[in-house]
Amino acid sequence: MGRVTSDTTAAEAGAHRTGYPDRQPPVWQRRLRRFGYPGRPQGDLRARLVPAFPGPAFRLWAVFGVGPAAAVRLSRWAAWGGPLLVALVAGVLRFWHLGSPHDVIFDETYYPKDAWSLLQYGYEGTWDKKANEALVGPHPKMLLSPQPSYVVHPPMGKWLIALGEWAFGMNPFGWRFMVALLGTLSVLLICRIGRRLLRSTALGCLAGALLAVDGLHFVMSRTALLDLIVMFWVVAAFGCLLVDRDRTRARLAAALPVGPDGLARPADEVGDRLRLGRRPWRIAAGLCLGLASATKWNGLYYLAAFALMSVLWDVAARRTAGARRPFRSALRRDAAPAFGSTVVVALAAYLASWSGWIATKGGYYRDWATTPEGHTGAWTWLPDWLRSLWHYQTEVYAFHTGLTTPHTYQSNPWSWLVLGRPVSYFYKDPTAGHQGCTAAEGCAREVLALGTPLLWWAACFALLYALYRWAFKRDWRAGAVACGVAAGYLPWFLYQERTIFLFYAVVFVPFLCLALAMMIGAIIGPPGADERRHTIGAVGAGVLVLLIVWNFIYFYPLYTGTPIPKSAWHNRMWFDTWV
């Protein structure tokens, strides 16, 4: 028997605490510890699988004269009360004067009209060239014909816009209503997602509040475009996967054996062999991802990324539970159900979104399969509507990959995170006495799709912090946030020649806000830090948040088309590329 050294004793003690005997960290892990890499987590196995939500901070509540019992009740109320309050503020901001500007701005020339056509015919018809002026004129007219129109985006988002038009009419308020509602609900979702992800009601509400005062999200919530609708379904899918993760790990934790000390022990019969049963929340995530893809095709990147992330979460959970071969176990027991719950469900949702086009006969390419060209090929045994739909999809794909027409406000994704080239949706320069202008020098009215600058620039550092925590601290939460950003951002680098715009980035803005809330939590300090550390951190974090709110207020006129003096408009053009 070899000599027992202090290193050996420490290793054996660590193995006893973690329940993983004879598992020494590899050399690369030991080298990374100098950068803060923590090694294999220790502690109670059930607590690692399902971390408890921290209790209320009694010392903080005591400052306001609240006793322990009342603090517990208020903390429970805040779990929903706080997010609802933040969402209420966000909703007031988004619905206030929602019909202004009373005009068809930027790409509203497409989607609201397509949505109204879906209500009338079940497919997109053709509008007269003067339809925009007729819609917002003193006597609105619908210059619409049943002649099919070639459109390049799936119909799901337009069906949602159509709900607002059905309820409130074919006017700016009506066609913006559902987008504003989904923008408000996305703030509520981020509050709750942040709470579950960061295990803090305060940080969850902070993430939602940051989203509420982001200029790009705000403008997109008040404009009838499709990108914010994609974002809503992506955020909803992310939330569903988080709930599924917690419930799956709780199922594994409940099946683990308990040792004489009352602590759960890892067991390969649980980690390797336990079937995780029905997972309705992952099915719900697949449905949401299908609806995102049925709004715009960039939702497909999130479908691939989140499906893979969900399986990797299963691998990690099985490893923690004691699986000797977690990857093989996850592939054998979890990969196929995950594919069915996400990809198959998403495909069904995508097909269902085309039901109006399928059920009618007037849509573009609807009868392509009955033409001489459609009668050729190896797939003629399929239903005509399916072959026609597939042909339509191939034509749309060719359009998207070949779109290189120059545009004044196009931008390269390299510049997005620093807001290099925002998009002007609406601009007018009324003279004094017209359209609310009271300045002798004249005024400017603009709706500029620009993120709140201080929020985005701080989020750049927060994203680097999230990547650090994921790589060196083994923080799965940071990895999930980084995945949400990467799936919405990195694919655009594949289309360097394509005409693309900054407002596409609204899809990953919620994940930037989550990353910033995570970094602010680190600035405030960990739970075990002393009072002085918490005080300094809280002051620094508070100053940062107040500056972001002030920045939103400062640019508010540019987000809403409010008339301001020309000099005030020029003062807000911080860079030449913003003009």
Side-chain angles (χ1 to χ4, degrees):
M1 182 175 180
R3 183 168 60 92
V4 178
T5 66
S6 59
D7 292 339
T8 307
T9 306
E12 290 177 351
H16 175 72
R17 289 193 301 269
T18 59
Y20 291 95
D22 304 325
R23 294 194 187 183
Q24 299 300 320
V27 174
W28 67 269
Q29 289 189 9
R30 295 198 293 271
R31 288 176 177 174
L32 284 180
R33 284 179 179 174
R34 70 186 67 176
F35 300 104
Y37 186 78
R40 184 177 294 279
Q42 299 180 5
D44 181 50
L45 196 54
R46 283 205 177 100
R48 283 165 46 201
L49 281 168
V50 189
F53 198 92
F58 295 116
R59 292 180 61 185
L60 178 61
W61 285 109
V63 173
F64 301 99
V66 178
V72 172
R73 290 194 299 271
L74 287 173
S75 295
R76 290 175 180 171
W77 172 87
W80 273 103
L84 287 172
L85 182 60
V86 174
L88 176 62
V89 174
V92 170
L93 287 172
R94 281 150 179 75
F95 281 96
W96 184 258
H97 294 307
L98 181 61
S100 176
H102 188 78
D103 210 331
V104 178
I105 65 175
F106 198 61
D107 278 357
E108 285 186 342
T109 190
Y110 301 115
Y111 310 122
K113 292 188 292 186
D114 287 344
W116 183 262
S117 180
L118 288 174
L119 283 177
Q120 309 307 311
Y121 309 127
Y123 62 89
E124 293 88 345
T126 300
W127 290 79
D128 188 89
K129 293 182 179 179
K130 297 181 179 180
N132 290 356
E133 294 81 1
L135 285 173
V136 296
H139 304 288
K141 297 179 181 179
M142 307 296 169
L143 304 181
L144 172 65
S145 73
Q147 183 70 22
S149 176
Y150 177 60
V151 295
V152 294
H153 291 299
M156 183 63 222
K158 289 169 280 189
W159 277 114
L160 287 174
I161 293 173
L163 289 178
E165 295 173 343
W166 172 77
F168 300 102
M170 185 59 173
N171 55 69
F173 181 87
W175 65 61
R176 295 170 189 161
F177 176 83
M178 284 302 298
V179 184
L181 179 61
L182 295 181
T184 302
L185 291 177
S186 67
V187 172
L188 176 63
L189 286 177
I190 286 298
C191 289
R192 292 288 298 176
I193 287 171
R195 180 180 184 273
R196 180 178 289 270
L197 186 72
L198 305 177
R199 286 300 194 264
S200 168
T201 300
L203 290 180
C205 290
L206 175 61
L210 291 171
L211 186 62
V213 297
D214 174 63
L216 182 61
H217 185 274
F218 177 77
V219 170
M220 296 298 288
S221 297
R222 292 169 55 88
T223 312
L225 271 63
L226 301 179
D227 300 84
L228 186 125
I229 300 175
V230 177
M231 180 229 52
F232 173 81
W233 292 120
V234 165
V235 168
F238 186 73
C240 290
L241 289 177
L242 282 180
V243 177
D244 173 73
R245 181 185 186 275
D246 284 352
R247 294 195 172 193
T248 300
R249 293 171 76 90
R251 192 173 296 135
L252 284 168
L256 290 174
V258 179
D261 55 359
L263 299 179
R265 291 283 187 267
D268 56 1
E269 66 269 15
V270 174
D272 280 321
R273 300 184 182 89
L274 182 69
R275 295 191 178 276
L276 300 178
R278 297 175 57 190
R279 301 174 68 170
W281 284 100
R282 191 155 68 178
I283 295 174
L287 175 62
C288 291
L289 291 168
L291 295 176
S293 303
T295 302
K296 286 186 78 171
W297 279 3
N298 55 327
L300 292 171
Y301 294 114
Y302 277 100
L303 173 61
F306 283 1
L308 177 61
M309 182 178 69
S310 178
V311 173
L312 291 178
W313 283 350
D314 290 345
V315 171
R318 288 187 178 278
R319 179 189 290 115
T320 303
R324 292 287 179 174
R325 298 177 177 84
F327 278 96
R328 189 173 74 175
S329 299
L331 285 175
R332 292 176 60 184
R333 289 177 169 79
D334 304 324
F339 182 85
S341 300
T342 53
V343 177
V344 175
V345 171
L347 178 61
Y350 184 86
L351 287 175
S353 73
W354 286 88
S355 56
W357 182 90
I358 295 170
T360 59
K361 288 294 183 180
Y364 205 86
Y365 282 135
R366 176 61 182 84
D367 297 321
W368 174 85
T370 63
T371 64
E373 181 185 2
H375 277 300
T376 61
W379 302 94
T380 53
W381 54 274
L382 291 173
D384 287 347
W385 67 266
L386 185 57
R387 290 189 294 119
S388 296
L389 182 60
W390 176 254
H391 178 71
Y392 198 168
Q393 308 308 298
T394 59
E395 292 296 310
V396 169
Y397 178 78
F399 170 85
H400 283 304
T401 55
L403 180 61
T404 57
T405 305
H407 193 283
T408 303
Y409 292 104
Q410 71 182 65
S411 60
N412 192 286
W414 287 107
S415 69
W416 286 1
L417 290 180
V418 294
L419 303 174
R421 183 59 170 164
V423 183
S424 180
Y425 287 177
F426 171 85
Y427 181 85
K428 288 187 178 180
D429 50 355
T431 56
H434 295 83
Q435 300 182 27
C437 178
T438 58
E441 62 180 300
C443 295
R445 293 186 64 201
E446 184 170 29
V447 176
L448 186 66
L450 170 72
T452 303
L454 292 184
L455 190 156
W456 280 65
W457 297 339
C460 291
F461 294 98
L463 188 55
L464 292 175
Y465 173 72
L467 291 173
Y468 162 75
R469 286 201 63 87
W470 178 45
F472 294 107
K473 295 291 186 179
R474 301 183 64 176
D475 192 337
W476 70 271
R477 304 169 302 172
V481 171
C483 177
V485 175
Y489 183 38
L490 296 183
W492 293 110
F493 287 92
L494 301 174
Y495 306 100
Q496 292 289 309
E497 302 300 324
R498 191 186 186 277
T499 307
I500 53 180
F501 303 90
L502 170 65
F503 66 81
Y504 295 171
V506 74
V507 180
F508 62 80
V509 167
F511 299 98
L512 292 180
C513 293
L514 287 170
L516 187 52
M518 182 182 294
M519 186 181 75
I520 289 175
I523 292 173
I524 294 173
D530 57 55
E531 188 172 347
R532 183 173 181 272
R533 168 69 177 84
H534 279 307
T535 301
I536 295 174
V539 170
V543 169
L544 175 59
V545 173
L546 289 176
L547 285 174
I548 290 172
V549 173
W550 164 83
N551 206 209
F552 173 77
I553 295 171
Y554 179 72
F555 283 98
Y556 182 82
L558 296 188
Y559 299 145
T560 57
T562 303
I564 56 175
K566 278 286 186 69
S567 58
W569 179 83
H570 281 290
N571 290 338
R572 287 164 172 79
M573 296 294 106
W574 287 0
F575 301 98
D576 292 340
T577 56
W578 289 9
V579 178

